Amino acid sequence: MKKIIGIILIVVGSYFAYQGYETKQTFAAKVERETTAVLRDITNNETDYESDTNLRANLKLFGGGAVALVGLVVLITGITNKN
């Protein structure tokens, strides 16, 4: 059972990590990163403007990676524990 759960977590985590990576590569995300950099240069880092697209992409990317890592650990423990 641990093997199946581990494989499912790896697949789902990889999917979300890939979606986050693809979102970071979109034109809107690149424009928002440049806009944020320009605003911080103009205001001498006094602005707290954070782009929503890049934040969502980071959450998907790192969250998906964490889920895939947990799935890998579960899969490895399921393989090594032969009860």
Side-chain angles (χ1 to χ4, degrees):
M1 187 68 179
K2 280 187 176 182
K3 294 176 192 175
I4 294 171
I5 293 172
I7 291 171
I8 290 171
L9 287 175
I10 290 171
V11 170
V12 170
S14 298
Y15 172 76
F16 280 110
Y18 180 73
Q19 289 297 319
Y21 172 76
E22 286 294 316
T23 303
K24 283 188 85 61
Q25 299 304 316
T26 61
F27 179 73
K30 290 179 181 178
V31 167
E32 286 183 3
R33 279 194 298 270
E34 293 299 321
T35 304
T36 302
V38 168
L39 282 174
R40 287 187 179 151
D41 284 344
I42 291 172
T43 61
N44 293 325
N45 290 330
E46 293 177 3
T47 184
D48 287 334
Y49 176 77
E50 187 67 36
S51 62
D52 188 42
T53 303
N54 286 316
L55 179 64
R56 283 184 286 140
N58 286 338
L59 289 175
K60 282 184 181 180
L61 185 63
F62 294 116
V67 170
L69 183 64
V70 168
L72 185 63
V73 169
V74 169
L75 182 66
I76 289 172
T77 59
I79 291 172
T80 57
N81 291 338
K82 295 181 180 179
N83 292 336

